[in-house]
Each structure stands twice: as C-alpha cells, then as structure tokens.
Amino acid sequence: MNSIWIGLFDVTGPRDNPMLDGNAGACLWIAAQAEDGAKLELRATKVMRDLGLTVVESEQLREVVDEDDLPDELAALIPEARRNVESVVCGTWHRFKNHDA
C-alpha cells in the first residue's frame, strides 16, 4: 500500500457542469494513495478530467504522516483513501462564482 497524500485543488470548467452547479470553479481537498505529490496530482487531474473539469492549481500537497494532526474535514477523507487503492476521495466542494474570487 502506498502512503496517503492530500492536496488542495482549484478546478474550473463549463458553468453547466453539474459539479460546479452554475459556478466558475471550485476548490476542494483530495486524498488518495500515491507514491508522491506528483502522483497525487496526476490521479486528481485524471478524475477531474473524467468529470469534465480542469485542474487550474494544486497546492499544499503533503503525505499524511499522522491523521490526528489534520482538521476533522481532512481526516474524514483518509479512511476511504486507505481502504481502497483506486479511490480518489474528494472533500467539500467550495464553489466560487468568478475566476478572480
């Protein structure tokens, strides 16, 4: 089993995309098993592309060493990521109306 990695991703896409609910984009935390931050980015980008979205930026990519050190919202993503090697677990979608938000 690979380590669990998390990162904050900004995504955009057509306003009619159901994941964006009429908004310009969103930011969300993503967790998955990965060898490193680059692999997490690749996995997240593929999942977002499959949803019709584009990853604009990724930041705060880090390996989860101690999930007790994470805020509850992020810690909640870890069990599914750990349970299933294929899972790319998305947190809350924080949507924004304009690209300059």
Side-chain angles (χ1 to χ4, degrees):
M1 176 172 90
N2 288 314
S3 299
I4 305 297
W5 282 74
I6 60 170
L8 183 61
F9 290 82
D10 289 339
V11 299
T12 190
R15 288 185 189 266
D16 63 348
N17 184 293
M19 301 306 293
L20 296 179
D21 195 27
N23 292 284
C27 64
L28 65 152
W29 286 95
I30 294 178
Q33 291 186 35
E35 295 171 18
D36 54 32
K39 296 286 192 211
L40 174 63
E41 277 187 293
L42 286 172
R43 295 192 67 202
T45 298
K46 182 189 180 318
V47 167
M48 293 300 119
R49 187 174 51 242
D50 290 349
L51 293 173
L53 300 169
T54 302
V55 172
V56 177
E57 184 177 12
S58 60
E59 56 187 296
Q60 299 184 45
L61 303 175
R62 64 183 185 264
E63 182 178 3
V64 175
V65 177
D66 184 358
E67 64 190 85
D68 291 334
D69 289 341
L70 297 174
D72 290 344
E73 180 181 356
L74 300 184
L77 305 177
I78 306 306
E80 176 60 24
R82 183 172 286 125
R83 186 173 25 259
N84 184 347
V85 69
E86 299 299 319
S87 289
V88 175
V89 185
C90 297
T92 303
W93 290 70
H94 300 279
R95 293 171 183 88
F96 48 85
K97 294 193 179 300
N98 300 309
H99 288 287
D100 59 350

